[in-house]
Amino acid sequence: MYHQEFNSIGDHIYNGYVYQNTKQYDNFHNSFEYIFVWKGSISVTASNVKVSLTENDMMLIAPNIVHSLEVSPITGSEYFISVFSKDFISEFKNDELFYTAIKFKADKTVENYLIENMFYSGEPEFYLLKSCLYAICSQCVKYGQRIDKLQSRSSKDFISKVNFYIFENINTKITQQAVADLFNYERHYFSNLFNQTFQMGFSQYINTYRLNIACRLLTTTDMTITDIAFECGFENVRNFNLVFKKLSGKTPSQYRTSPLNETVLPDHALPLHVITLNKLSKK
């Protein structure tokens, strides 16, 4: 399981991709994720509940819910995924569906509206995009079938604040004791709560978090492996190489030159086209 820090930090995060026959591993982030299946079928697992999505099925996954995606090797698949921050749909926070994962089919009129105004290459207009996202929320409320257990607000708040601290301090030494003290938890209680919430130990999670950042830097920058190691908070290159090989099965050099970087980050499976990235301005 890994945390997508690039989908968790910042205002008005929005991105959209079309994927084709692409598996996505257990991950979570502090933004909503919307899925629409164009062709074939996929299986989505959210909070350990697995559900099948076929053509024209949609799903909205709330922030900080662990989820993954598998594709059918027989039928193949083509699907759209949009990740967007809670800022876009602030009023939806009052609905209990804000804290869960929902499967639904939209009215044909709404579906056509989304296809016309949301599923295209280029940067969408701010208010038009918000109307699309609220239309998705409306269809969730009207037709939604909840597929996971309702996650408590306290659990989601714990995930959010711990991840924000890790993101802000990832290139420094991070200890479990320091984080527990910062949030006023007794160390053993914090350790048990962390293991239960994140489904892994604190050290393993920190290393996995750092590895995901390293993978992105290895494939999107010309930074040296030494610089990447220190940027991600590893104390030395030797430790970086050992951790990277243990978690990914490759050395950093092998990963950088591999034609199929399919470990850890789903973004390494190239999208058919990018809709938009980063902040959206009001136009």
Side-chain angles (χ1 to χ4, degrees), residues 69-225:
L69 187 153
E70 297 179 359
V71 298
S72 169
I74 300 175
T75 63
S77 64
E78 189 171 319
Y79 55 94
F80 170 82
I81 290 184
S82 170
V83 175
F84 58 94
S85 75
K86 296 169 282 189
D87 301 327
F88 281 102
I89 53 172
S90 55
E91 289 84 355
F92 193 52
K93 292 180 182 179
N94 297 323
D95 196 290
E96 71 167 10
L97 300 183
F98 182 83
Y99 297 95
T100 187
I102 304 293
K103 174 185 176 180
F104 63 102
K105 278 186 184 291
D107 291 327
K108 201 62 183 178
T109 301
V110 175
E111 181 183 307
N112 290 336
Y113 181 80
L114 296 174
I115 291 173
E116 179 180 356
N117 296 297
M118 192 175 178
F119 305 162
Y120 62 90
S121 181
E123 186 172 298
E125 190 273 328
F126 183 86
Y127 293 113
L128 188 59
L129 175 63
K130 287 194 72 170
S131 73
C132 290
L133 299 179
Y134 272 114
I136 290 170
C137 294
S138 172
Q139 299 298 286
C140 276
V141 173
K142 191 174 182 179
Y143 302 115
Q145 170 193 353
R146 196 164 74 203
I147 69 164
D148 70 327
K149 295 179 180 179
L150 194 65
Q151 192 173 18
S152 70
R153 297 192 182 196
S154 60
S155 175
K156 293 167 74 65
D157 289 343
F158 177 78
I159 292 173
S160 180
K161 67 182 182 182
V162 169
N163 270 316
F164 185 77
Y165 175 83
I166 293 173
F167 174 83
E168 290 287 295
N169 298 277
I170 195 62
N171 59 353
T172 65
K173 185 176 181 179
I174 301 175
T175 67
Q176 183 170 254
Q177 183 67 63
V179 180
D181 291 343
L182 178 67
F183 297 118
N184 298 315
Y185 288 105
E186 189 273 328
R187 184 181 180 280
H188 292 293
Y189 177 82
F190 176 85
S191 178
N192 291 334
L193 179 61
F194 189 97
N195 292 351
Q196 181 181 9
T197 304
F198 289 88
Q199 301 172 30
M200 66 175 70
F202 185 82
S203 296
Q204 182 184 357
Y205 182 75
I206 295 295
N207 283 335
T208 304
Y209 196 116
R210 286 175 168 149
L211 179 67
N212 281 285
I213 298 175
C215 287
R216 179 159 52 85
L217 294 176
L218 284 167
T219 55
T220 61
T221 74
D222 294 324
M223 293 174 63
T224 67
I225 290 175

Side-chain angles (χ1 to χ4, degrees), residues 22-24 35 42-45 67-71 79 81:
T22 304
K23 178 178 180 178
Q24 299 197 7
I35 303 172
I42 62 175
S43 294
V44 178
T45 300
H67 57 280
S68 61
L69 187 153
E70 297 179 359
V71 298
Y79 55 94
I81 290 184

Side-chain angles (χ1 to χ4, degrees), residues 7 41 47 50 142 161 173 180 187 199 226 260 262:
N7 281 330
S41 63
S47 296
K50 189 173 184 178
K142 191 174 182 179
K161 67 182 182 182
K173 185 176 181 179
R187 184 181 180 280
Q199 301 172 30
T226 298
L260 292 174
E262 59 183 15

